[in-house]
Amino acid sequence: MDETYSTLCAVLDIERPPLTEARKRARQRKDKVSSKPLDELTVEDVMDKPPLMELRCESCGEANQFEMPGIYISPKHPKDRFCIGGDISCPSCDSLGPFEAGNMGLMAITAELLKYNVAVSQGVKYRGPIQFLIASLHNGRLVSPRTAVQEYRRRVERDPDSVPDWLGLGNIYVHIGSRKLAAVCFGKCLALEPACAEAALSLAKIRLDGGDPGGAFKLLHDAWRLHDQWRFHRLKESSPEDFTWDFVDLYNTFARKLGEPKLSMPEREPASVGGGKVGRNAPCLCGSGKKYKKCCGAV
């Protein structure tokens, strides 16, 4: 609250009697609360420490202080509330959420939004937890991250055996940094449909990020044994062939590091351009700047 009030006073360039007490409390806590006008604030003034906020766990009802996780907002849906992301767990019951912000939490987010505005006004990159994201549902409708999470949660509650909806929920959790919850969703997919290659690949990447390359490779190995039965539910910007090549590429990366046999696949056909072919030494069509043979045409 002190930080929010101080930041508001700085933005409005005003002095109020309670501001003196707020600064005094900040000095006692050895915090850094700025009294500069907005046009004099720097990134160091407003991003000197991770902000704290109070969140209430919906599982047990207890409120606790957290280092502010990712706060995801849709710029195209201003009436929708923010979505709380990140890998956080309740210290009272160990639940992974969901969490809601009370009045004090909203104050902390207000202060952080002001910090974002300071960074923008200074023309520098914002380094805090505020993130802007637009989510896409299964039918292509664009919604806020909060609406996407709520929609897929309702769907899996109505139909706990719906692999596409568990997959969609897991994908949204990945995008908002809630990788532990995403792992739960992808695990549900594989329990219901072992040949769900999309879930296997996503879960393998989470295992890799978590420092478990052996577990990640096992997921890919088990999934590849069922590749003749693969079904796809959420492919949008790539084809099954492209997905398979991405899968094989990651599999072989693991295999090389772990000393396991690699998968062999026939060479990809060069992509067509105006009825012709892209040369293997020509720039790749995806715009990466790499040669085609080292990018989309890589074996």
Side-chain angles (χ1 to χ4, degrees), residues 7 10-11 34 36-47 113-127:
T7 307
V11 169
S34 177
K36 298 179 182 178
L38 178 63
D39 58 359
E40 296 179 11
L41 289 174
T42 65
V43 175
E44 286 69 27
D45 290 324
V46 298
M47 297 184 194
L113 283 168
L114 290 170
K115 292 180 182 181
Y116 172 84
N117 288 332
V118 168
V120 172
S121 71
Q122 294 286 330
V124 297
K125 184 177 180 179
Y126 171 73
R127 302 194 304 266

Side-chain angles (χ1 to χ4, degrees), residues 45-201:
D45 290 324
V46 298
M47 297 184 194
D48 58 320
K49 63 185 185 303
L52 297 176
M53 69 181 299
E54 183 178 287
L55 295 174
R56 184 181 64 83
C57 173
E58 291 189 6
S59 297
C60 68
E62 293 291 324
N64 292 282
Q65 287 280 340
F66 295 86
E67 184 175 307
M68 187 179 288
I71 304 298
Y72 291 83
I73 302 170
S74 170
K76 290 191 175 182
H77 304 87
K79 294 184 179 180
D80 284 7
R81 289 190 65 183
F82 55 85
C83 181
I84 298 172
D87 278 330
I88 58 176
S89 59
C90 176
S92 300
C93 69
D94 292 328
S95 169
L96 295 176
F99 297 91
E100 284 292 336
N103 290 335
M104 298 304 294
L106 293 175
M107 289 281 284
I109 293 173
T110 299
E112 197 59 31
L113 283 168
L114 290 170
K115 292 180 182 181
Y116 172 84
N117 288 332
V118 168
V120 172
S121 71
Q122 294 286 330
V124 297
K125 184 177 180 179
Y126 171 73
R127 302 194 304 266
I130 301 295
Q131 304 287 333
F132 294 94
L133 176 69
I134 300 175
S136 175
L137 294 180
H138 61 287
N139 57 6
R141 184 164 65 98
L142 299 179
V143 297
S144 68
R146 181 184 179 90
T147 295
V149 169
Q150 291 176 335
E151 173 69 17
Y152 280 119
R153 284 182 60 192
R154 282 194 294 266
R155 285 176 166 271
V156 297
E157 286 172 4
R158 288 197 303 263
D159 184 4
D161 294 334
S162 175
V163 172
D165 291 324
W166 279 114
L167 193 60
L169 182 57
N171 289 340
I172 291 297
Y173 280 140
V174 167
H175 286 299
I176 64 173
S178 299
R179 302 180 77 81
K180 292 180 180 178
L181 286 170
V184 172
C185 295
F186 296 139
K188 290 275 191 182
C189 291
L190 292 172
L192 292 166
E193 187 178 297
C196 183
E198 292 162 280
L201 182 60

Side-chain angles (χ1 to χ4, degrees), residues 72 95 121 187 202 234 240-241 248 258 282:
Y72 291 83
S95 169
S121 71
S202 296
R234 286 283 177 261
E241 181 189 20
V248 171
L258 297 173

